[in-house]
Amino acid sequence: RSAQAALPTASPAPAVPERESRVTGIRVLAVPAARQLARELGLDIALVSGSGPNGRVRPLDVHQHMERQRNGGAAARPVAPT
Amino acid sequence: MTNAPMDYDLLVIGAGPGGYHAAIRAAQLGLKVACAELGAVGGVCLNIGCIPTKALLHAGETMAASRHAGEFGMNFAAPSLDISKLNGWKDGIVKKLTGGVSGLFRANKVTHLVGQASFVDAHTVQVGDKTVTAKSIIIATGSEPAALKGLDVDQKFIVDSTGALDMPDPIPARMLCVGGGVIGFEFAHIYNNLGSKVKIIEFLPNIIPGADADAVKEFGKAMSKQGIEIVTRTKANSAKVVGNEVQVEIENVETGEKTTETFDRVLVAVGRRPRTHGLNLEAAGLHVTERGFIEVNRKMQTAAAHIFAVGDVAGNPMLAHKAMKEGLVAAEVAAGKPSEQDAVAIPGVVYTSPELAWVGLTEQEAKDHGYKVKTGVFPMSASGRAMTLQSTDGFVKMVVEEGSDLLLGVHIVGPHASDMLGEASLALEMAATASDVALTIHAHPTLGEAVLEAAEAVHKQAIHIINR
Amino acid sequence: MTNAPMDYDLLVIGAGPGGYHAAIRAAQLGLKVACAELGAVGGVCLNIGCIPTKALLHAGETMAASRHAGEFGMNFAAPSLDISKLNGWKDGIVKKLTGGVSGLFRANKVTHLVGQASFVDAHTVQVGDKTVTAKSIIIATGSEPAALKGLDVDQKFIVDSTGALDMPDPIPARMLCVGGGVIGFEFAHIYNNLGSKVKIIEFLPNIIPGADADAVKEFGKAMSKQGIEIVTRTKANSAKVVGNEVQVEIENVETGEKTTETFDRVLVAVGRRPRTHGLNLEAAGLHVTERGFIEVNRKMQTAAAHIFAVGDVAGNPMLAHKAMKEGLVAAEVAAGKPSEQDAVAIPGVVYTSPELAWVGLTEQEAKDHGYKVKTGVFPMSASGRAMTLQSTDGFVKMVVEEGSDLLLGVHIVGPHASDMLGEASLALEMAATASDVALTIHAHPTLGEAVLEAAEAVHKQAIHIINR
Ligand SMILES: Cc1cc2nc3c(=O)[nH]c(=O)nc-3n(C[C@H](O)[C@H](O)[C@H](O)COP(=O)(O)OP(=O)(O)OC[C@H]3O[C@@H](n4cnc5c(N)ncnc54)[C@H](O)[C@@H]3O)c2cc1C
Ligand SMILES: Cc1cc2nc3c(=O)[nH]c(=O)nc-3n(C[C@H](O)[C@H](O)[C@H](O)COP(=O)(O)OP(=O)(O)OC[C@H]3O[C@@H](n4cnc5c(N)ncnc54)[C@H](O)[C@@H]3O)c2cc1C
């Protein structure tokens, strides 16, 4: 499999993104619509902090993240941009 | 390739679920689309896969239901079975669906090109005797049954999944399924319900590879109870048609012991391999992996960014809904959208009765990923709805991360298990916790209450079982 | 009341779904619990409601399935029907489930007090000839069938839902259901499948009040197609048993026209009313509303904070899963937890075939709430799985807020519709959008794909229909 691919492996098990977005998990905890929105806005979903349980990211969190970035990024999480 | 305008914005090769989803979505997004198909639209799935098996499974289950009706005083005599009508009914459903796809192509202005596609260069493809150019190309050529040395498929006595779909008259008295995967079990279930004595042999120590070990055990128990003989660590070395019978040499791969057994029909269902022959991939600068797949990234792009591969040809699991999702993603990317195949979980189903259905991580996979795991199990035997459906074998098992309560996987053996996957899949994609499921009202009396109760069981708060 | 220690931390009155859920959850949380019940544990739901109806529905559907099997060449002769065995099977399931609840009471150390409960004061209740005190009390006394003037239930010729559960031998040739609600339709479907000619009359302009208008229309069409005669704006004025027949005066409430028709059995299913008689609520300082309900807040507390009411007696909708949820909330609050009945949506189901199942807002309700509404509809006739199940009547309709894409309601007519509610309910509780559902992989071929496609249809991107 290619290095950038994070595709289903040998069994019908989930794709496992290689990057870790939080300590306890290996999944980006974001609802599908938020993941799509982040892509549309050209944003790495892993950089958005979610307001839900376990930091689950919803579309509103993505919008708020963009808002903060527009306002100078002061409130953005201290994560190195990709 | 010249600088002349291209014939199409997008050429899709193959009109199986991956291909026709790609073609239709691209057309919805305004692209000028053609789809090349050498056989029937609908691919393996509609013509000789998902759909005809489900039709036969329904027929088999109707037979089984009539037998169980005696329990509530409804006594049926054995029905007469018109096999040619059964095959015709099944074929009619296939025709309706493939005709539907053709109609959708017309309505969405997708040009259907008839013939085998073969690359000329990275933007040019020969289809039959036509040559067409396209800005983007999606390869969706699917897969075909893997052969097994020593068992020559004649589609009459020794069949692959395609031959097995043609129900013979009479129903074979003794049936052997070589391969204890999803396809093997679906056919075993069909033939068993329609009257065959069925034996399944599997090389590996476990049937249904990829599914949760507990679920597989429960599923195997239910199948055995229905009379299907399941033998693991066993292989078929050879099969010889003698008269109207097939003599099969069967070997226990642990002891090396060999026996010869006689059957009336033998199904070879030992896997599928990606199909790229005749495509002339090299002309487009593409290569396949050691296992024959075309490598892709999350945007379904191959090594050439404007050429995509989706479905069975692009990797495991070889499932129609994976092909569909990938087809949509590739079409959207070709249309300039930022889509990705970012699914958390791809469900799997064995459409027997009870069904085995799962999505997400098995308990073992979750542990292997380093999760600290809790599970919750609720047996179908404690479900009122399952009792009224005379189908109390099975359970719902939930795999959850300890601490975060994050749902990692759901494994179901039971009636309508595949219908319960909707909730389970959505829960995984939404990063739901077991509490999210447990706090959601589930209608009573439904099978879905077993999902609720399994979530409660994670917290030792199920109501209808004693939590330990 | 004295200052002496109380006998129990919690006394639950009524062992229906609301009551037994409350009792078990409270015990799980460490409370000392008693549950008073004057009849059989399990209440209406297990004994004479949800469960026995579903058992009979399954029997009826097995009969119908055997008739449709001819389509695929499986020809069944009419079965012999042993009615006493049918009744016995149904009763056996009820016994198993109610026995299960008794077992759960024992395992959870819930004391079962036999007898009618009646308040002595706000902490003291007389149960049969015992007097018990409790720190908290949950009233879960349920409901009973509403009577209809002029139609005197004799449980033989003129029956309510309890009498209708006792299948007569022979099956009545002509059956009238007075009341076109959920219960009326479930019995109509049972009797129709088992051979009765069934007529349903409904006073209101629409059957199944509360359900989405489009869904109800589709549902009514499917029921009519199966031979059930449905007449709205019509009422029964009187019924008279003459020999072995019932003569019913039926009035068209729009024209005032009256006719007399003859039936072999008449079911009165015109609603249910909360049951508080004999409770002596006044002694606890409680009162009922004009319609007979006990008013509660979101913590299920009555005017007295330590007395709770849950289930049918606490308000509409009178559904078992609402009672269960409320029972859990009340128990948790009594145990000092911050629980609330905060459900976004309480699902409703008619367990016929096809089923009608819904959760959340109807299109009209959404508009009435001021939402700008978009809908997406996907017909079962375009579902491959539905075709293989010979059940293509119906659709999935999604009601979504324009702009935000927020899911507001899901309305399903189709096979296994109740199984698809799991996903719909979770989606509503998780505040999912139509995109969340559309982006989730749904296994192929499953009925759940119709949910996915309805979500896609909201965005005019369904694959298997032409989007307009
Ligand atoms: C018996 C059986 C039962 C199954 N049941 C299920 C099930 O219930 N659920 C499930 O999810 N999956 C099931 N599958 C698997 C499923 O059928 C496949 O995963 C799915 O069909 C893959 O879709 P695809 O679009 O990748 O390829 P395919 O469906 O294989 O379609 C590929 C198409 O490309 C065409 N093609 C190939 N090469 C060329 C060429 N060079 N030029 C032009 N056309 C070409 C082929 O003719 C074919 O029509 C089943 C498979 C079998 C065999
Ligand atoms: C034919 C029929 C079919 C139905 N099908 C469904 C369905 O499929 N799904 C669904 O969700 N709902 C269904 N319902 C409705 C469902 O049965 C009720 O909503 C549910 O039973 C309500 O539960 P409850 O705990 O509030 O009360 P109940 O189930 O009514 O239980 C109340 C209990 O309290 C006892 N009791 C009453 N007064 C006293 C007293 N003073 N002292 C001691 N005990 C007392 C009663 O004996 C009874 O056992 C159906 C109803 C009927 C009639």
Side-chain angles (χ1 to χ4, degrees):
Chain A
R1 298 228 140 257
S2 73
Q4 84 251 62
L7 287 158
T9 46
S11 65
V16 179
E18 279 137 3
R19 114 200 120 205
E20 295 204 1
S21 69
R22 63 186 189 89
V23 222
T24 54
I26 46 183
R27 249 163 73 193
V28 178
L29 296 183
V31 305
R35 286 179 250 154
Q36 189 190 41
L37 180 63
R39 284 194 300 265
E40 279 165 4
L41 297 172
L43 199 64
D44 182 352
I45 189 78
L47 303 182
V48 180
S49 58
S51 55
N54 301 321
R56 176 163 73 212
V57 180
R58 321 195 60 118
L60 191 64
D61 299 317
V62 178
H63 284 303
Q64 281 171 353
H65 180 93
M66 286 301 281
E67 193 66 21
R68 277 195 298 269
Q69 278 199 332
R70 264 196 297 276
N71 297 339
R77 271 205 326 189
V79 177
T82 43
Chain B
M1 201 185 77
T2 70
N3 275 333
M6 304 270 183
D7 298 329
Y8 297 100
D9 295 324
L10 174 67
L11 171 69
V12 180
I13 304 177
Y20 84 75
H21 274 69
I24 293 172
R25 175 55 51 87
Q28 288 173 339
L29 295 174
L31 300 196
K32 188 179 173 200
V33 184
C35 182
E37 168 60 58
L38 62 82
V41 296
V44 169
C45 177
L46 264 52
N47 290 284
I48 50 169
C50 325
I51 295 298
T53 44
K54 302 325 160 266
L56 292 178
L57 281 160
H58 173 66
E61 278 157 28
T62 304
M63 181 75 99
S66 76
R67 290 195 199 108
H68 298 144
E71 276 177 40
F72 49 78
M74 195 178 282
N75 300 300
F76 289 98
S80 74
L81 192 52
D82 180 341
I83 299 281
S84 75
K85 198 162 176 188
L86 175 60
N87 283 321
W89 171 73
K90 173 201 67 186
D91 295 343
I93 292 174
V94 168
K95 206 158 280 169
K96 202 160 184 177
L97 285 167
T98 55
V101 173
S102 295
L104 290 166
F105 273 8
R106 280 192 299 276
N108 286 287
K109 303 205 170 57
V110 172
T111 304
H112 174 190
L113 303 174
V114 179
Q116 163 143 351
S118 182
F119 278 97
V120 175
D121 64 36
H123 282 279
T124 312
V125 176
Q126 172 123 13
V127 183
D129 48 19
K130 264 205 208 106
T131 302
V132 297
T133 55
K135 288 185 202 155
S136 303
I137 298 169
I138 297 177
I139 305 169
T141 48
S143 64
E144 52 204 355
L148 187 58
K149 232 191 72 192
L151 284 83
D152 295 328
V153 166
D154 63 10
Q155 300 296 33
K156 190 163 177 227
F157 296 102
I158 304 173
V159 295
D160 62 17
S161 60
T162 305
L165 284 168
D166 198 18
M167 292 305 296
D169 193 1
I171 302 290
R174 298 157 301 179
M175 167 94 171
L176 174 70
C177 296
V178 182
V182 176
I183 294 176
F185 268 95
E186 291 190 355
F187 280 109
H189 198 254
I190 292 166
Y191 280 79
N192 182 59
N193 273 338
L194 294 179
S196 304
K197 173 92 202 73
V198 180
K199 177 173 187 153
I200 292 196
I201 61 174
E202 166 61 47
F203 183 87
L204 297 173
N206 280 309
I207 54 173
I208 318 287
D212 182 82
D214 289 340
V216 163
K217 205 168 136 195
E218 182 79 6
F219 174 74
K221 248 183 8 198
M223 291 300 112
S224 303
K225 207 164 114 181
Q226 292 176 29
I228 296 172
E229 186 188 350
I230 304 168
V231 192
T232 53
R233 299 304 279 132
T234 300
K235 64 175 184 173
N237 289 328
S238 66
K240 195 169 66 183
V241 179
V242 180
N244 281 323
E245 298 181 333
V246 194
Q247 290 173 358
V248 187
E249 189 189 89
I250 293 177
E251 179 178 339
N252 178 321
V253 294
E254 270 168 8
T255 63
E257 199 190 337
K258 291 173 189 162
T259 54
T260 297
E261 294 186 36
T262 306
F263 299 92
D264 301 291
R265 191 168 239 202
V266 176
L267 165 68
V268 181
V270 292
R272 300 181 61 82
R273 51 160 204 241
R275 171 168 172 172
T276 51
H277 52 80
L279 260 182
N280 197 25
L281 284 177
E282 300 69 27
L286 296 177
H287 305 277
V288 297
T289 64
E290 213 174 309
R291 297 175 62 200
F293 292 113
I294 302 176
E295 262 188 337
V296 289
N297 63 14
R298 282 160 69 110
K299 295 181 180 301
M300 309 316 299
Q301 292 164 313
T302 64
H306 74 289
I307 305 182
F308 303 78
V310 304
D312 285 6
V313 79
N316 284 313
M318 293 199 190
L319 291 169
H321 41 277
K322 170 193 160 267
M324 295 171 178
K325 176 69 168 188
E326 293 181 351
L328 297 179
V329 169
E332 286 163 7
V333 173
K337 304 241 163 224
S339 294
E340 276 185 16
Q341 158 62 307
D342 66 347
V344 173
I346 299 174
V349 182
V350 192
Y351 291 84
T352 46
S353 183
E355 294 180 335
L356 167 60
W358 71 97
V359 61
L361 301 177
T362 65
E363 184 174 352
Q364 190 56 51
E365 284 170 342
K367 287 175 179 162
D368 292 347
H369 279 304
Y371 283 108
K372 198 147 175 248
V373 167
K374 283 198 299 187
T375 63
V377 176
F378 188 81
M380 285 298 167
S381 59
S383 155
R385 181 68 162 146
M387 286 183 205
T388 65
L389 292 172
Q390 297 182 286
S391 188
T392 51
D393 288 332
F395 59 60
V396 177
K397 173 177 171 178
M398 230 168 235
V399 179
V400 169
E401 183 184 25
E402 178 138 21
S404 76
D405 202 38
L406 184 70
L407 203 58
L408 301 174
V410 181
H411 307 274
I412 311 176
V413 179
H416 307 191
S418 65
D419 295 327
M420 282 179 271
L421 278 185
E423 176 175 12
S425 301
L426 186 73
L428 285 169
E429 292 294 342
M430 301 281 296
T433 60
S435 290
D436 285 322
V437 175
L439 289 167
T440 295
I441 296 183
H442 286 63
H444 178 81
T446 61
L447 296 165
E449 290 176 288
V451 176
L452 163 79
E453 288 270 43
E456 293 273 33
V458 171
H459 310 130
K460 308 219 178 295
Q461 292 213 324
I463 292 295
H464 292 90
I465 52 170
I466 297 157
N467 302 274
R468 300 188 197 280
Chain C
M1 202 185 76
T2 70
N3 276 333
M6 304 271 183
D7 298 329
Y8 297 99
D9 295 323
L10 174 67
L11 171 69
V12 180
I13 304 177
Y20 85 74
H21 274 68
I24 292 171
R25 175 56 50 88
Q28 288 173 339
L29 295 174
L31 299 196
K32 187 179 174 202
V33 184
C35 183
E37 169 59 59
L38 62 81
V41 296
V44 168
C45 177
L46 264 51
N47 291 282
I48 50 169
C50 325
I51 295 299
T53 44
K54 302 322 161 269
L56 292 177
L57 281 160
H58 173 65
E61 277 157 28
T62 304
M63 181 74 100
S66 75
R67 289 195 199 108
H68 298 143
E71 277 177 39
F72 50 77
M74 196 177 281
N75 299 302
F76 289 98
S80 75
L81 191 53
D82 180 340
I83 299 280
S84 76
K85 198 163 175 188
L86 175 60
N87 284 321
W89 172 72
K90 173 201 67 187
D91 296 343
I93 293 174
V94 167
K95 206 159 281 168
K96 202 160 186 178
L97 284 167
T98 56
V101 173
S102 296
L104 290 165
F105 273 7
R106 279 191 300 276
N108 286 286
K109 303 204 169 58
V110 172
T111 305
H112 174 191
L113 304 172
V114 180
Q116 163 142 352
S118 181
F119 278 97
V120 175
D121 64 36
H123 282 280
T124 312
V125 176
Q126 172 122 13
V127 183
D129 49 16
K130 264 204 207 108
T131 302
V132 298
T133 56
K135 288 184 200 153
S136 302
I137 298 169
I138 297 177
I139 305 170
T141 48
S143 64
E144 53 204 354
L148 187 58
K149 233 191 73 190
L151 284 82
D152 296 328
V153 167
D154 64 10
Q155 299 297 33
K156 192 166 175 222
F157 296 102
I158 304 174
V159 296
D160 62 17
S161 60
T162 305
L165 285 169
D166 199 17
M167 291 307 293
D169 194 1
I171 303 289
R174 298 157 301 178
M175 167 92 171
L176 175 70
C177 296
V178 182
V182 176
I183 294 177
F185 268 95
E186 291 190 354
F187 280 110
H189 197 255
I190 293 166
Y191 280 79
N192 181 61
N193 273 338
L194 294 179
S196 304
K197 174 92 201 71
V198 180
K199 178 173 187 155
I200 292 197
I201 61 174
E202 167 60 47
F203 183 87
L204 298 173
N206 280 309
I207 55 173
I208 317 289
D212 181 81
D214 289 340
V216 163
K217 205 168 137 195
E218 181 80 6
F219 174 75
K221 246 182 11 198
M223 291 300 112
S224 302
K225 206 163 115 182
Q226 292 177 26
I228 296 172
E229 185 188 350
I230 305 169
V231 192
T232 53
R233 300 302 280 131
T234 300
K235 64 176 184 172
N237 289 327
S238 65
K240 197 168 67 186
V241 179
V242 181
N244 280 325
E245 298 181 333
V246 195
Q247 290 174 358
V248 187
E249 189 189 90
I250 293 177
E251 180 179 337
N252 177 319
V253 294
E254 270 167 9
T255 64
E257 201 190 334
K258 290 173 190 161
T259 54
T260 297
E261 295 186 34
T262 306
F263 299 91
D264 301 292
R265 191 168 238 203
V266 176
L267 165 68
V268 182
V270 292
R272 299 181 60 82
R273 52 161 203 237
R275 171 168 172 173
T276 51
H277 51 80
L279 262 182
N280 197 25
L281 285 177
E282 300 68 28
L286 297 177
H287 305 278
V288 297
T289 64
E290 213 173 307
R291 299 175 60 198
F293 292 114
I294 302 177
E295 261 185 339
V296 289
N297 63 17
R298 281 159 70 108
K299 295 180 178 304
M300 308 316 298
Q301 291 165 312
T302 64
H306 74 288
I307 305 182
F308 303 77
V310 303
D312 286 5
V313 78
N316 284 314
M318 294 198 188
L319 291 169
H321 42 277
K322 173 195 158 261
M324 294 172 178
K325 175 71 167 186
E326 293 180 352
L328 297 178
V329 169
E332 286 162 9
V333 173
K337 304 239 163 225
S339 296
E340 275 185 17
Q341 158 62 306
D342 64 351
V344 173
I346 300 173
V349 182
V350 192
Y351 291 84
T352 45
S353 182
E355 292 181 336
L356 167 59
W358 71 96
V359 60
L361 301 178
T362 65
E363 183 174 353
Q364 190 56 52
E365 284 169 346
K367 287 176 178 162
D368 293 348
H369 277 73
Y371 284 107
K372 201 150 174 246
V373 167
K374 283 199 298 186
T375 62
V377 176
F378 188 81
M380 285 298 166
S381 59
S383 156
R385 181 67 162 150
M387 286 182 204
T388 64
L389 293 172
Q390 298 182 287
S391 188
T392 51
D393 288 331
F395 58 60
V396 177
K397 173 177 171 178
M398 230 168 234
V399 179
V400 169
E401 184 184 24
E402 179 138 18
S404 76
D405 203 38
L406 184 70
L407 204 58
L408 300 173
V410 181
H411 307 274
I412 310 176
V413 179
H416 307 191
S418 65
D419 295 326
M420 283 179 270
L421 277 185
E423 176 175 12
S425 301
L426 186 72
L428 286 170
E429 291 295 342
M430 297 209 53
T433 61
S435 291
D436 287 321
V437 175
L439 289 166
T440 295
I441 295 184
H442 287 64
H444 177 82
T446 60
L447 297 164
E449 290 176 288
V451 177
L452 162 77
E453 287 269 43
E456 292 274 33
V458 171
H459 310 130
K460 308 218 177 299
Q461 292 213 324
I463 292 295
H464 293 90
I465 52 170
I466 297 157
N467 300 274
R468 300 187 195 281

